[in-house]
Amino acid sequence: MKKLLAFILLFCAFSPLWANVSPKPEMEFSFIYNTQAKPLIDPLHSEQIQCADNQCIQSAPLGYYGIQKLYCGAGACISVAYEYDNFQKLIIAFTDGTKRESNIFPAPDSLRSRFNVYVNEDSLNVEPTEVIPGTASWTRTDAWVSLLIILTLEMLAALAYLIYAQKPFTVLYSVAVGNVLSTAAAWVIFVQFVKETALLWLFCLLAEALIIRLMNPRKMPMKDALTLSVTMNVTSYSLGMIISFWLAPLIF
């Protein structure tokens, strides 16, 4: 059991791509015009560039990979990534046919960050702001769909485990409560302070084990509760990765 947990912890800590349904790093861009004309953003021809260095010598578009993409409306943009490179740059097209390129700016050390984009005559100037991102995670469709996916996958995994371990099905109530509470805490609270998605996943794993244990003191020893939580969370991670890729165009 200890070897299994050690493997899971190391895998989570060093996995370079977290494509499951937990919160992802996001950048929210608010546009401020220093020009007389205020053309609308052309989303189809705008892009975010990832840079490996502060000169952007090695660069590549953020691209469209699962849920990873730069999403723009007429007057604002938000980008989502599984992992950002150290430096970023915006190239924004406008409906008047012009295209402006921004300065190179460092990626923030948080999952949620906000920037002001100053639109000049021939360029963009991106500056970080301390203002809290205006799009609350828990109000968005992807957060609610994520909760539904997680709850469904982990309830099914828990049911399979309870049948195998010959445990009472009443434990499922604590599984549901643990999922709702841990997922809500991850999306609403800890996403503001934690940079690594892997840490949020580990928090959910441990929190759910503790809740299951506390709600079933006679039926689930801590060892069984932890085993059940590992089973559920590994299932939601592996299958959630596939499902989130498939649903990405629909949930964001």
Side-chain angles (χ1 to χ4, degrees):
M1 180 62 188
K2 292 182 179 179
K3 291 182 179 180
L4 174 61
L5 289 176
F7 172 77
I8 295 295
L9 293 175
L10 287 173
F11 173 76
C12 297
F14 294 104
S15 177
L17 175 63
W18 276 79
N20 62 349
V21 289
S22 52
K24 305 294 182 296
E26 296 182 5
M27 297 183 186
E28 186 174 323
F29 301 98
S30 299
F31 284 71
I32 301 172
Y33 288 83
N34 293 327
T35 59
Q36 185 173 0
K38 298 182 179 181
L40 300 179
I41 297 171
D42 179 2
L44 293 179
H45 300 94
S46 299
E47 59 183 342
Q48 183 170 342
I49 305 298
Q50 302 232 64
C51 306
D53 56 272
N54 60 5
Q55 300 298 315
C56 217
I57 297 174
Q58 299 181 26
S59 63
L62 181 66
Y64 189 7
Y65 182 60
I67 204 171
Q68 177 169 303
K69 187 182 179 183
L70 175 67
Y71 300 82
C72 288
C77 294
I78 181 172
S79 72
V80 183
Y82 295 113
E83 185 177 21
Y84 285 114
D85 283 350
N86 294 331
F87 296 91
Q88 306 291 313
K89 180 171 65 174
L90 291 179
I91 300 177
I92 302 296
F94 295 89
T95 52
D96 63 354
T98 61
K99 182 176 286 190
R100 295 171 174 85
E101 186 172 318
S102 80
N103 56 307
I104 301 167
F105 57 95
D109 292 329
S110 60
L111 285 176
R112 296 286 184 272
S113 56
R114 188 171 183 175
F115 297 84
N116 287 333
V117 181
Y118 296 92
V119 182
N120 304 313
E121 289 295 342
D122 300 312
S123 64
L124 302 173
N125 186 35
V126 179
E127 296 182 1
T129 175
E130 297 298 327
V131 178
I132 298 175
T135 307
S137 299
W138 62 271
T139 64
R140 298 205 317 252
T141 302
D142 59 314
W144 288 98
V145 173
S146 295
L147 175 59
L148 179 61
I149 293 173
I150 292 171
L151 187 59
T152 301
L153 290 175
E154 297 200 5
M155 289 292 285
L156 291 174
L159 179 61
Y161 173 83
L162 295 175
I163 293 174
Y164 173 78
Q166 297 182 341
K167 298 288 185 179
F169 292 159
T170 53
V171 175
L172 288 174
Y173 290 108
S174 60
V175 171
V177 172
N179 267 271
V180 172
L181 292 179
S182 63
T183 304
W187 276 86
V188 179
I189 301 175
F190 292 110
V191 71
Q192 302 178 46
F193 309 104
V194 178
K195 179 182 179 181
E196 299 296 335
T197 304
L199 295 179
L200 293 178
W201 188 85
L202 292 175
F203 161 76
C204 290
L205 187 153
L206 297 175
E208 289 168 18
L210 181 60
I211 292 171
I212 292 170
R213 165 61 181 163
L214 292 176
M215 292 183 66
N216 304 276
R218 297 182 180 180
K219 301 172 186 177
M220 296 292 292
M222 192 60 201
K223 178 181 178 181
D224 291 343
L226 193 55
T227 302
L228 174 56
S229 184
V230 169
T231 301
M232 296 187 309
N233 282 277
V234 170
T235 299
S236 66
Y237 164 73
S238 56
L239 295 182
M241 177 169 57
I242 300 172
I243 294 172
S244 66
F245 266 67
W246 177 57
L247 290 179
L250 304 176
I251 67 176
F252 202 98

